Amino acid sequence: PAIPLERKKDTGLPVVVIHTENGMEIKDKENWIPGDMTIHGTSEFDGYEGKISVRGRGNFTWRQLKKPYAIKLDKKDSILGMPAHKRGVLLANYMDRTLMRNYIAFEVARRTDLDWTPAGQFVEVMLNDVHLGNYFLCEHIKVDENRVNIAEMTSSDLDEEAITGGYLLEMDEYYDEVNKFRSAICNMPVMFKQPDEETLHPEQFEYVRNYIDLLEELLYADDFASTRSYVSMIDETSFVDWWIVNELTYNFDVSYPRSSYFNKDRLGVLKAGPVWDFDWMTFTKQTDFCCKNTIWYGQLFKDPAFVDKVKERWEVLKPEFEEVVPLIEECRNRLSVSEELNAMLWGDISNLEVFNGDENLSHREACLLMKNNYQDRIKWLDGQIRKF
């Protein structure tokens, strides 16, 4: 039910206008469709105009009515104040009544010592003269000096030093990348995001597989807590901070696991992060853990020294997390007009199995519920961590 944007009042957000070549429909996640993109910025941002390619993205989200998209600029450039890059994503947030779960979760992550968290801006999207509503245009997880800042591999990086990194990995039950393996002990679905299938050399594949298998061997040894030899293979602070962000926001996707990213730089150890994908079931009212037994955390929490590190980091970060609370109301005010128009386009989502608990609420009520749930989660997690 398209409603031309020109007939609507200004939402106060930048407008992203995309025209595909000959009006071609974006039918899948595999084929890049060429086109043009113009961004009409507000007083806060510069505009943009250039050639792009666009395709679908996402797994469960791609099957929904309001589609998410990946975009690729023909030339590296800065858009909406973000560092220059070619790649970006348009998150539809179709299942999210508040429209801000990803945005607020990223703000939570930015309070930690995780190396990088995607930045983004809310926008209106026009695709081939059809208004698609409110989207979150944000940075794509890629190896880059302004994103996941690790060495960018070539196929010839095979000597003793070069083969050690950098690698961007994802653990995801969809298990849909070309290069992937199951870990030896835990059967974790490890996928290579970078190097991609055109670059990754078999020796590099085997290096990472052996690294993960050795890590699990050390982690699941009978004396792992007393020797702590596994710590020589991971960045412990990143593992703690990544867990806290996902637990605080109740990111249940991680429990499967889905969209769980890790990276390893050249001559470096395995780091957790960046965080990703918070539109489903996050910021709900919960009084249990969702990530304490996922991936390797069930074993990590058997190590008293790791638990002490969690307690230490929580005490440092809790005041930072509390500073996120007023951002929810600020964001609600900024999105108030855009949300009304988005609801006109996409209507009732209460029939979706999204489990956010706010599908039948007004936007104001949903955002208030989100804020209250987040504050309650801070208190609950504070009590639980103190009892560890």
Side-chain angles (χ1 to χ4, degrees), residues 30-148:
E30 291 72 41
N31 296 295
W32 289 101
I33 307 298
D36 300 283
M37 182 172 76
T38 302
I39 299 180
H40 303 285
T42 62
S43 58
E44 188 178 356
F45 303 108
D46 292 333
Y48 171 83
E49 186 170 355
K51 297 285 185 181
I52 67 162
S53 300
V54 58
R55 69 181 181 188
R57 67 165 310 278
N59 289 303
F60 182 76
T61 51
W62 177 247
R63 301 196 297 270
Q64 306 308 309
L65 288 175
K66 187 184 179 190
K67 308 293 187 185
Y69 300 100
I71 58 174
K72 180 167 60 175
L73 311 185
D74 278 12
K75 297 179 181 179
K76 194 173 182 179
D77 207 342
S78 172
I79 56 176
L80 298 179
M82 291 177 273
H85 203 279
K86 284 187 174 182
R87 295 290 296 274
V89 294
L90 285 164
L91 299 180
N93 293 319
Y94 177 57
M95 300 179 292
D96 178 3
R97 184 69 185 93
T98 71
L99 298 176
M100 68 175 80
R101 292 173 182 270
N102 279 302
Y103 167 73
I104 294 297
F106 291 160
E107 289 301 315
V108 172
R110 254 183 279 282
R111 267 64 182 177
T112 72
D113 285 346
L114 292 173
D115 288 340
W116 174 78
T117 298
Q121 298 292 338
F122 292 100
V123 298
E124 303 292 332
V125 172
M126 295 282 295
L127 176 59
N128 293 330
D129 299 321
V130 175
H131 181 211
L132 300 185
N134 180 285
Y135 277 74
F136 189 59
L137 173 56
C138 74
E139 295 176 297
H140 183 50
I141 296 178
K142 299 287 286 184
V143 172
D144 183 83
E145 62 180 355
N146 292 319
R147 298 189 181 182
V148 182

